[in-house]
Amino acid sequence: MKTQATSVADTQTTTAVGPIIFLGAPGAGKGTQAKLVAERYGIPQISTGEILRQNVARGTELGKKAKVFMDKGELVPDDLVFGMVAERLRNADCVKGFILDGFPRTLPQAEWLDALFADKFFANRCDKPPVVVNLVVGYNQLLRRLTGRRSCPSCGRIYNVYYQPPRVPETCDTEGSRLVTRKDDQESVISERLKAYEQQTLPLTDYYRRTGRLREINGDQEPEKVTLEAFSAIEHGNRV
Ligand code: AMP
């Protein structure tokens, strides 16, 4: 039987939603929720972490430089990330809107993004201000989500050994592949990532709160409830 949120997510809407920014600590559920939002509104999910991991896997120049920081749980320097984001947002598939998952992550990144949206190319394309959805999750919960996270290297499906375990331990239900743990989900790296979040990303919530764009959601709730609240924040957020 389908959950309520899945059936709501299945119903695509056709209206342009504009930019959506997902904020939240590593493990807050940004990726999972952003995927459902992308499906509902028919817009791309742009995960800077995912684009960087693809670059690392392909061994590109960007990937080689970014890997040094990612392996330590540190943020990749802005000069590497800005070009990558600007190029991605210029794609035609972003016309109706897009979801940024994992960007911005610092105050300078948020200011850079505002300047980009004010640029003629983007301003002509979409006049909707971004809706910022902040997923708030307690520290202990974040730790369990990150240490328990596994993914299928074949289909990308995400599991959690505590909350959503596969039927056979460490094996993908659909592909039968052996599940993998992201390199930066190792316990030694997790604490660095959470520290980077607290010091560099958390101040962003104030930045967006001041502009009246921030929509806070309790990310500790059932995932389906979080999804419905995210849809509501997006649909009402643009009208403020
Ligand atoms: P994520 O998948 O969003 O947790 O990102 C994984 C890693 O990619 C982070 O720990 C950073 O090293 C890097 N990364 C992702 N997004 C950014 C960003 N906006 N700025 C700098 N580094 C990033």
Side-chain angles (χ1 to χ4, degrees), residues 51-81:
I51 301 175
L52 288 166
R53 279 188 290 281
Q54 284 165 6
N55 274 275
V56 171
R58 292 205 314 268
T60 65
E61 275 312 301
L62 169 63
K64 282 182 203 153
K65 289 180 188 156
K67 186 176 186 305
V68 180
F69 300 92
M70 293 169 78
D71 283 353
K72 290 187 283 188
E74 291 173 11
L75 293 186
V76 174
D78 288 347
D79 58 329
L80 296 178
V81 178

Side-chain angles (χ1 to χ4, degrees), residues 3-148:
T3 61
Q4 193 185 6
T6 312
S7 51
V8 175
D10 282 350
T11 328
Q12 262 209 17
T13 69
T14 49
T15 41
V17 282
I20 299 165
I21 296 171
F22 264 81
L23 290 183
K30 296 189 297 293
T32 308
Q33 295 297 335
K35 186 169 184 288
L36 294 169
V37 169
E39 283 164 11
R40 174 165 165 85
Y41 300 103
I43 55 177
Q45 171 188 5
I46 301 172
S47 157
T48 41
E50 194 48 48
I51 301 175
L52 288 166
R53 279 188 290 281
Q54 284 165 6
N55 274 275
V56 171
R58 292 205 314 268
T60 65
E61 275 312 301
L62 169 63
K64 282 182 203 153
K65 289 180 188 156
K67 186 176 186 305
V68 180
F69 300 92
M70 293 169 78
D71 283 353
K72 290 187 283 188
E74 291 173 11
L75 293 186
V76 174
D78 288 347
D79 58 329
L80 296 178
V81 178
F82 286 166
M84 178 184 98
V85 173
E87 189 189 326
R88 180 65 188 86
L89 294 185
R90 280 179 176 272
N91 264 16
D93 65 345
C94 294
V95 166
K96 232 179 85 174
F98 48 84
I99 304 163
L100 283 169
D101 155 18
F103 188 93
R105 251 178 156 103
T106 64
L107 218 42
Q109 288 185 2
E111 286 163 355
W112 175 87
L113 189 64
D114 278 348
L116 189 80
F117 289 157
D119 176 87
K120 228 161 102 191
F121 175 84
F122 289 99
N124 285 342
R125 221 189 208 188
C126 173
D127 56 1
K128 288 195 178 197
V131 175
V132 185
V133 177
N134 186 28
L135 298 180
V136 183
V137 175
Y139 191 83
N140 289 339
Q141 179 81 291
L142 290 174
L143 278 184
R144 275 173 80 81
R145 289 192 188 179
L146 291 168
T147 54

Side-chain angles (χ1 to χ4, degrees), residues 100-228:
L100 283 169
D101 155 18
F103 188 93
R105 251 178 156 103
T106 64
L107 218 42
Q109 288 185 2
E111 286 163 355
W112 175 87
L113 189 64
D114 278 348
L116 189 80
F117 289 157
D119 176 87
K120 228 161 102 191
F121 175 84
F122 289 99
N124 285 342
R125 221 189 208 188
C126 173
D127 56 1
K128 288 195 178 197
V131 175
V132 185
V133 177
N134 186 28
L135 298 180
V136 183
V137 175
Y139 191 83
N140 289 339
Q141 179 81 291
L142 290 174
L143 278 184
R144 275 173 80 81
R145 289 192 188 179
L146 291 168
T147 54
R149 183 155 68 181
R150 303 284 184 275
S151 65
C152 170
S154 313
C155 68
R157 183 166 165 190
I158 311 273
Y159 297 84
N160 187 291
V161 297
Y162 304 114
Y163 307 113
Q164 290 157 313
R167 285 196 291 272
V168 178
E170 303 297 336
T171 308
C172 178
D173 291 351
T174 33
E175 300 289 324
S177 315
R178 184 156 182 83
L179 300 181
V180 293
T181 303
R182 256 169 60 173
K183 204 167 173 192
D184 59 358
D185 277 346
Q186 316 282 352
E187 284 199 52
S188 55
V189 186
I190 286 173
S191 61
E192 283 310 310
R193 290 171 63 209
L194 290 174
K195 206 157 78 192
Y197 169 75
E198 269 188 23
Q199 292 173 351
Q200 294 167 276
T201 310
L202 204 54
L204 278 189
T205 50
D206 276 340
Y207 177 81
Y208 286 117
R209 194 174 288 120
R210 277 200 302 275
T211 59
R213 291 280 141 215
L214 193 72
R215 301 285 171 273
E216 305 223 56
I217 295 180
N218 173 5
D220 269 335
Q221 311 174 86
E222 287 294 303
E224 291 77 15
K225 186 133 197 288
V226 176
T227 309
L228 290 175

